[in-house]
Amino acid sequence: MVRWHRKAVVTSAALALVLAAGACSDSGGKQEEQKADAGSGNVATTPRIKVALITHSKAGDTFWDIVRRGAEAAAQKDNIELQYSSDPDGAAQANLVQTAIDSKVDGIAVTLNKPDAMMPNVKKAIAAGIPVTVLNGGLDTWKQSGAIGYFGQDERIAGEATGDKLKQLGAKKVLCIVHEQGNVSLEARCQGIKNKFGVVENLNVDGADQPGTQATITSKLQQDKSVDYLVGLNAGVTLTAVQAAKDAGSSAKIGSFDMSKEMAKAVKDGTVQFAVDQQPYLQGYLAIDAIWLSKTNGNSIGGGEATLTGPSFVEKSNIEAVEKFAAAGTR
Amino acid sequence: MASTIAAPADADDRVSARSIGARLLSRPEIGSLVGAAVILVFFLVTAEPFRDLNNAGTILYQASLIGVMAVPVSLLMIGGEFDLSAGVAVTTGGLTAGIFAYQFSVNVWVGMAVALVLALAIGLFNGWLLMRTGLPSFLVTLGTFFILQGLNVAVTRLTSGAVASNSISDMDGFTSAKALFASEFKLGGLTIKIIVVWWTVFVAIAAWMLLRTKIGNWIFAVGGDAASARAVGVPVKKVKIGLFMTVGFFAWFTGMQLLFVQNGVVQSGEGVGKEFLYIIAAVVGGCLLTGGYGSVVGGAVGALIFGMVQLGVVYAGWNPDWFKAFLGAMLLLATIVNLVVKNKADAR
């Protein structure tokens, strides 16, 4: 019995190897990956320092992966050891800031999307002489924390720009798809669209559950035929909405917030009309670089005001320029 | 913490005296203690900031965020039941206090009292429905979990127009309540958060109750075999409802901590998934999923393991992508150690 078993394993392993060797794909796959050209230049000669990047991301989120790539590119150039950590729970994220203080880091880049939970520890870090930069979230609160800079998008302004864009595109009724209940930034985006456009309805879906999201959007489109424009608040949800509109037989057009590889393709082939990009790579990069500049040359970026990294619209007219960076996972 | 049971005055020939070692080994929490020691040594070796005693305060705080709720959840699991609504009930507690105080412009303590009544009512409802229908607690509390999750977001939006409650940090009673739930003090170089002190107190009280009182015996009895317990006169219904209400009380307490540590604001979407962390802490601490066996101290050690691993990965400067995988492996290891030690002890 055992011997037969072993034979079977060996045979099937050999067979698999042969199959794999003889089954090379002529297109696609890793062989076509473009190497992102980040940090292949020289490294700064400044002393090596340790900087923590602390976000509220869930594990395995594309958007935050791009932020992290930007941060890592800056860290590599600036001779910085980057320690990344994240927790979607406010109290736990605040405790990560405490952990960074305990670890005696030389700088902290942090998201302030949950300012009430985060503020005490961010202030504590600054009091301990650690320079702090804020990225992505916390536009209204970063100044009172004493941070040296803010790099992100004003979600309301981004929403309003989107509202204007929708007017210009001649939309009549817009559905704003909120994929995370309780996220203030997402609410601000929909509110911004409402401010400029008016006829907006919010739809709550569970972003962690793609099939559920698709079904919810489909049923909404079947129930309300007057919707002629969908706006998803992240790339994944928008691409799900594309599928849902197909299922519902709806002719509604689709716009998106945030970019990804697939989103670049969708904009190129016209299934998505536009994507509002807040340039996450830039947020991560600048948040780390600003700490280095402050440490090595006493500089501050933004003149005491927020440095806005968005909104920048990615559409058919400019997709050519963006596409290859999106494919490399940096836009 | 292992309690030694005083030998009866005149030895009965049916019970032979066991050695201290054997008695220690048969404690439910011994496996988790061994696991905690191993993990502690592991991180002391690999993570440099872990060695700084002043950072122990951070780790204890991280552990207490789960540990406080692991106390009633351990008791409930020993009593043979689950509560999947425990995570969102914490958020409900914090939101209720904040929203009530803000909307009616009353003293923060009034809002807290209302939240406490509601939290106990949720526990009562869970327990009552369970006893009334005879459905498994898994299903009953799953229903409650969804109801509360929806109510958290819906009611918050209805009242504040947003998805977080309005800040109550400038209202009467906020400062005194904050001092009680979310202050900190220095102990040498150590910063101790008040919640850690509360956690210790709760663990001590619950452990004493479980091991030294009639109620503790009842909890073991209803978890072991409800029908037999009823036959010998244990008030099964009261005990189970009481256990769910205990979870309610602690959910309220943790919710208050959440409210005051976040400057009087609670995000309505939080707390989902936390219920499993409480259950995990209890299970790592030696509670059986089938009920009738476990310990409160074990649950506390389970929470400590969780906190140590969570922050140890960060202190060591590893890529946090690996954290969940590492955590899963740790939990399996801890539970297997539990099982081995338990079997060894039973064999003696």
Side-chain angles (χ1 to χ4, degrees):
Chain A
M1 183 77 198
V2 172
R3 190 177 295 160
W4 173 86
H5 191 79
R6 188 177 304 164
K7 248 191 195 142
V9 169
V10 171
T11 322
S12 52
L15 201 63
L17 273 175
V18 170
L19 275 176
C24 281
S25 167
D26 291 333
S27 63
K30 186 146 181 88
Q31 59 197 351
E32 284 195 12
E33 244 180 50
Q34 292 177 324
K35 276 277 160 279
D37 204 15
S40 57
N42 294 334
V43 175
T45 52
T46 46
R48 188 152 181 86
I49 56 173
K50 196 160 55 167
V51 174
L53 170 60
I54 300 166
T55 74
H56 62 278
S57 153
K58 293 187 180 74
D61 183 301
T62 308
F63 177 91
W64 290 102
D65 193 44
I66 301 175
V67 171
R68 202 173 153 181
R69 277 172 202 237
E72 268 161 5
Q76 198 162 4
K77 279 186 193 168
D78 298 341
N79 196 16
I80 287 172
E81 181 193 335
L82 186 72
Q83 292 197 338
Y84 178 81
S85 58
S86 70
D87 203 310
D89 180 273
Q93 196 199 349
N95 214 23
L96 287 173
V97 175
Q98 180 62 49
T99 326
I101 301 170
D102 295 345
S103 303
K104 300 190 176 55
V105 296
D106 301 288
I108 298 175
V110 69
T111 61
L112 276 188
N113 292 48
K114 294 172 181 157
D116 298 294
M118 298 293 293
M119 204 53 94
N121 281 2
V122 169
K123 282 184 172 155
K124 201 193 268 184
I126 291 165
I130 302 172
V132 172
T133 53
V134 177
L135 65 147
N136 185 265
L139 187 76
D140 312 326
T141 46
W142 73 275
K143 277 187 199 170
Q144 38 169 304
S145 74
I148 57 173
Y150 171 88
F151 307 95
Q153 164 168 275
D154 182 329
E155 299 295 0
R156 199 183 37 78
I157 290 179
E160 286 175 355
T162 310
D164 285 335
K165 168 75 61 189
L166 288 163
K167 250 198 234 156
Q168 187 193 316
L169 292 167
K172 302 210 172 26
K173 178 165 186 191
V174 174
L175 196 63
C176 193
I177 304 162
V178 182
H179 60 263
E180 202 178 294
Q181 293 189 327
N183 183 324
V184 185
S185 310
L186 301 185
E187 299 288 326
R189 286 176 182 178
C190 292
Q191 193 54 50
I193 298 174
K194 207 171 265 168
N195 291 352
K196 289 287 177 184
F197 184 79
V199 201
V200 180
E201 194 177 331
N202 287 12
L203 177 71
N204 276 320
V205 298
D206 177 6
D209 170 16
Q210 200 194 352
T213 299
Q214 191 173 323
T216 309
I217 300 171
T218 301
S219 56
K220 177 72 200 174
L221 289 174
Q222 285 165 337
Q223 174 252 319
D224 186 349
K225 300 271 192 239
S226 66
V227 173
D228 67 339
Y229 235 105
L230 301 172
V231 178
L233 301 184
N234 79 17
V237 169
T238 307
L239 294 167
T240 306
V242 169
Q243 204 49 51
K246 258 198 206 118
D247 292 351
S250 160
S251 59
K253 289 201 158 68
I254 293 157
S256 177
F257 277 78
D258 298 346
M259 283 291 299
S260 72
K261 273 183 221 186
E262 288 70 30
M263 184 52 68
K265 283 197 194 88
V267 171
K268 195 175 180 181
D269 61 31
T271 45
V272 173
Q273 305 305 310
F274 64 87
V276 187
D277 187 18
Q278 59 172 311
Q279 309 192 78
Y281 186 87
L282 197 56
Q283 292 176 4
Y285 185 93
L286 289 175
I288 302 298
D289 216 23
I291 290 172
W292 180 77
L293 284 166
S294 151
K295 280 257 176 211
T296 55
N297 205 29
N299 293 128
S300 73
I301 304 179
E305 292 298 326
T307 308
L308 296 187
T309 60
S312 81
F313 283 93
V314 176
E315 301 166 87
K316 242 198 165 98
S317 55
N318 64 356
I319 185 69
E320 293 293 337
V322 175
E323 195 186 11
K324 84 165 186 276
F325 302 120
T330 57
R331 266 304 286 271
Chain B
M1 281 292 288
S3 70
T4 47
I5 298 149
D10 46 349
D12 188 323
D13 58 356
R14 285 169 304 177
V15 281
S16 55
R18 299 166 74 205
S19 70
I20 296 273
R23 275 215 300 262
L24 263 180
L25 268 183
S26 63
R27 300 286 318 143
E29 61 272 2
I30 194 73
S32 64
L33 278 169
V34 172
V38 170
I39 289 166
L40 179 66
V41 170
F42 176 76
F43 279 119
L44 283 175
V45 173
T46 52
E48 193 258 322
F50 218 84
R51 283 168 235 160
D52 188 346
L53 187 65
N54 295 347
N55 300 345
T58 316
I59 295 162
L60 284 173
Y61 174 60
Q62 185 82 12
S64 73
L65 293 175
I66 293 172
V68 171
M69 280 305 285
V71 172
V73 169
S74 297
L75 290 175
L76 184 71
M77 286 182 70
I78 296 166
E81 302 296 343
F82 264 119
D83 191 349
L84 295 181
S85 67
V88 281
V90 169
T91 315
T92 307
L95 283 171
T96 308
I99 291 173
F100 191 89
Y102 185 89
Q103 294 300 329
F104 295 94
S105 305
V106 289
N107 189 303
V108 171
W109 286 92
V110 179
M112 286 161 64
V114 172
L116 177 59
V117 171
L118 182 79
L120 292 173
I122 293 168
L124 178 68
F125 174 78
N126 274 337
W128 173 81
L129 200 61
L130 176 91
M131 296 316 290
R132 182 75 229 178
T133 59
L135 285 168
S137 53
F138 189 93
L139 291 176
V140 171
T141 57
L142 190 65
T144 321
F145 160 77
F146 284 126
I147 293 170
L148 291 180
Q149 202 187 334
L151 285 179
N152 283 350
V153 178
V155 175
T156 307
R157 186 187 298 282
L158 211 60
T159 52
S160 69
V163 285
S165 65
N166 302 88
S167 176
I168 54 166
S169 58
D170 51 359
M171 297 180 72
D172 289 346
F174 183 84
T175 324
S176 56
K178 187 175 170 133
L180 184 66
F181 288 101
S183 55
E184 53 182 55
F185 59 91
K186 285 264 184 232
L187 194 78
L190 218 57
T191 309
I192 299 282
K193 307 250 185 197
I194 196 86
I195 183 94
V196 176
V197 177
W198 283 118
W199 179 34
T200 318
V201 170
F202 288 143
V203 170
I205 293 173
W208 170 81
M209 192 197 76
L210 187 67
L211 298 171
R212 285 273 181 271
T213 67
K214 187 169 69 174
I215 296 172
N217 287 340
W218 285 353
I219 293 172
F220 278 114
V222 300
D225 187 345
S228 315
R230 193 175 287 115
V232 296
V234 175
V236 175
K237 195 171 168 178
K238 273 189 187 152
V239 171
K240 293 222 173 185
I241 290 177
L243 284 171
F244 276 104
M245 287 178 77
T246 311
V247 174
F249 169 81
F250 278 85
W252 169 80
F253 190 94
T254 314
M256 293 308 100
Q257 195 266 338
L258 192 71
L259 176 68
F260 293 109
V261 83
Q262 304 194 135
N263 203 20
V265 176
V266 178
Q267 294 275 351
S268 59
E270 281 189 357
V272 179
K274 282 279 166 71
E275 62 280 352
F276 284 112
L277 301 186
Y278 309 145
I279 291 170
I280 287 165
V283 170
V284 168
C287 294
L288 289 184
L289 289 172
T290 46
Y293 185 85
S295 94
V296 171
V297 176
V301 176
L304 194 63
I305 288 179
F306 196 88
M308 281 197 295
V309 174
Q310 224 171 2
L311 292 188
V313 169
V314 179
Y315 277 134
W318 297 337
N319 187 337
D321 289 357
W322 293 95
F323 165 66
K324 283 272 161 57
F326 192 73
L327 186 74
M330 286 273 174
L331 293 177
L332 278 178
L333 206 68
T335 36
I336 290 168
V337 169
N338 273 345
L339 192 72
V340 170
V341 172
K342 184 173 179 288
N343 289 346
K344 273 235 158 56
D346 289 351
R348 290 192 177 200

